[in-house]
Amino acid sequence: MTQGSSATVYKNKVGGYNVVIRRGRPSTDAPIFREAASYVNSIECGSNDIDKIHISMTLDANYLRGTMAAVMSILQHSTCPENFVFHFLSARHEPEIFTSIASTFPYLSFKIYRFDSSRVRGKISKSIRQALDQPLNYARIYLADILPRDVNRVIYLDSDIIVVDDISKLWGVDLGEKVVAAPEYCHANFTTYFTDAFWTDAILSNTFHGRKPCYFNTGVMVLDVKTWKKQGYTQKVEQWMVVQKLKRIYHLGSLPPFLLIFAGNIKAVDHRWNQHGLGGDNFEGKCRSLHPGPISLLHWSGKGKPWLRLDSRKPCPIDHLWAPYDLYRSSRTWLEDK
């Protein structure tokens, strides 16, 4: 394993990877989840390494409920659910969280990697929302260094999403010579993602020369990790983070460095794969409606998260689409089942 990461890996009975499960009463601090149903491959699914679909997400105690719902939605809508390998990134060693995943999805193939927060400490600039400043929010930059060498492609997903289509369709996108594939939004006002200090600096703003930059959301991406590493994109992102520390050129955490490097040079995929903004803006998280058109993935980016709004009994109408995938149960429910 490369510097800055480590993996907690245990072989499970179906040939994947799982954390050892301790039976008995869960920790009072650990979220409790119902065990998900098992999902099996259709007869046409392959079973070789080439047939595996690699998905990476972060593990954070505040978002674990969202992560569980996301995994559930992916499995439920997949033709080949046994072909998934999940790569989870965690900033801390938290056995309770690891056990929660393993007990909720006993047949899930997954690995858990410790993300060394010191890799970004000193590089992060304060943004408009505290959640965007967490080191784990920057872990996606280091995927090429963390994932095993035999993983050449990965789908990166935020934890506040649900998938309502077979994600193998997104996995199969033809990247061509591109390193990143994601829905692209050219109608958005791109200038708002950077400060006047950036746009008035002839040298900095010239980074987009020869490109037609468009906004894309980094919460849903297909990444060619092999090419990413070969061409040193981690270091390129870090260079822009250094510039940000010296001269404030953006406000939105880990997103702008991706835009600086890749905007106007990604493989654009159908908007159906990221119906984002369902969490409202970064300040108030007000309710929003769905955009017209087909939907394959719903994304509660923004301040408002569906599990928090549902628990507060002040949900937005759109949050009821997330609720069927929620596997969370309270400690009281767990005791009643015993």
Side-chain angles (χ1 to χ4, degrees):
M1 195 59 57
T2 56
Q3 184 180 6
S5 67
S6 59
T8 303
V9 182
Y10 297 86
K11 203 77 170 178
N12 74 4
K13 61 184 178 181
V14 295
Y17 295 88
N18 257 336
V19 175
V20 169
I21 305 173
R22 291 184 178 180
R23 297 298 180 185
R25 183 172 182 173
S27 165
T28 54
D29 296 328
I32 306 168
F33 299 92
R34 301 189 305 275
E35 182 176 321
S38 61
Y39 295 93
V40 298
N41 283 357
S42 298
I43 192 170
E44 67 269 21
C45 298
S47 57
N48 299 314
D49 286 347
I50 196 173
D51 301 307
K52 291 180 179 178
I53 296 175
H54 297 274
I55 297 175
S56 183
M57 305 177 73
T58 57
L59 282 182
D60 181 283
N62 295 323
Y63 287 82
L64 183 61
R65 192 168 165 187
T67 301
M68 294 293 202
V71 172
M72 179 66 182
S73 71
I74 292 168
L75 296 174
Q76 184 170 320
H77 293 283
S78 173
T79 303
C80 305
E82 294 179 274
N83 289 358
F84 291 120
V85 179
F86 282 84
H87 303 267
F88 294 114
L89 311 179
S90 177
R92 289 176 294 276
H93 179 65
E94 298 177 295
E96 296 85 2
I97 292 181
F98 302 161
T99 303
S100 291
I101 298 173
S103 58
T104 303
F105 302 104
Y107 299 96
L108 188 71
S109 294
F110 71 92
K111 298 180 183 180
I112 299 171
Y113 307 84
R114 170 84 183 277
F115 173 66
D116 186 356
S117 298
S118 67
R119 296 198 68 171
V120 292
R121 191 169 292 121
K123 298 185 180 77
I124 298 175
S125 299
K126 187 176 181 179
S127 65
I128 61 175
R129 184 159 61 93
Q130 186 176 4
L132 301 177
D133 300 338
Q134 301 306 308
L136 200 57
N137 193 44
Y138 291 79
R140 71 196 80 185
I141 298 168
Y142 300 92
L143 280 172
D145 297 329
I146 296 172
L147 297 179
R149 292 181 179 179
D150 61 344
V151 177
N152 295 322
R153 172 185 289 215
V154 69
I155 297 175
Y156 177 84
L157 298 173
D158 277 350
S159 297
D160 50 1
I161 64 99
I162 59 169
V163 177
V164 293
D165 198 351
D166 194 334
I167 204 169
S168 66
K169 299 174 185 176
L170 179 61
W171 173 261
V173 63
D174 182 5
L175 278 167
E177 297 181 354
K178 306 299 183 183
V179 180
V180 177
E184 195 174 46
Y185 304 91
C186 294
H187 64 278
N189 184 355
F190 191 78
T191 60
T192 62
Y193 293 99
F194 301 94
T195 64
D196 289 341
F198 173 82
W199 292 115
T200 56
D201 188 308
I203 296 176
L204 294 178
S205 59
N206 193 55
T207 189
F208 293 118
H209 179 73
R211 288 192 272 164
K212 294 182 178 179
C214 296
Y215 164 75
F216 67 93
N217 183 280
T218 55
V220 180
M221 299 184 290
V222 182
L223 300 175
D224 180 343
V225 290
K226 185 176 181 179
T227 303
W228 177 290
K229 187 168 187 176
K230 183 179 180 180
Q231 298 186 6
Y233 281 109
T234 294
Q235 291 71 33
K236 293 177 182 178
V237 172
E238 288 180 328
Q239 288 169 7
W240 278 113
M241 293 170 68
V242 170
V243 174
Q244 165 74 349
K245 294 289 286 187
L246 297 174
K247 185 174 184 177
R248 192 166 180 82
I249 59 174
Y250 54 78
H251 300 298
L252 278 174
S254 63
L255 168 65
F258 274 85
L259 297 180
L260 286 161
I261 295 168
F262 294 110
N265 192 31
I266 69 169
K267 173 67 176 181
V269 301
D270 197 292
H271 288 179
R272 68 187 303 151
W273 285 106
N274 194 350
Q275 179 87 218
H276 67 288
L278 302 182
D281 61 24
N282 283 300
F283 300 101
E284 298 181 17
K286 292 183 178 179
C287 296
R288 288 185 178 175
S289 301
L290 290 173
H291 304 299
I295 300 170
S296 294
L297 184 150
L298 296 96
H299 187 187
W300 277 261
S301 58
K303 185 177 181 180
K305 302 305 173 189
W307 55 93
L308 296 178
R309 297 195 296 212
L310 286 163
D311 285 353
S312 70
R313 298 189 179 183
K314 296 179 181 179
C316 296
I318 195 65
D319 297 338
H320 295 288
L321 295 178
W322 181 90
Y325 304 97
D326 185 16
L327 296 171
Y328 177 75
R329 59 180 180 178
S330 67
S331 298
R332 177 180 298 178
T333 302
W334 187 87
L335 291 171
E336 290 173 352
D337 288 347
K338 300 308 287 180

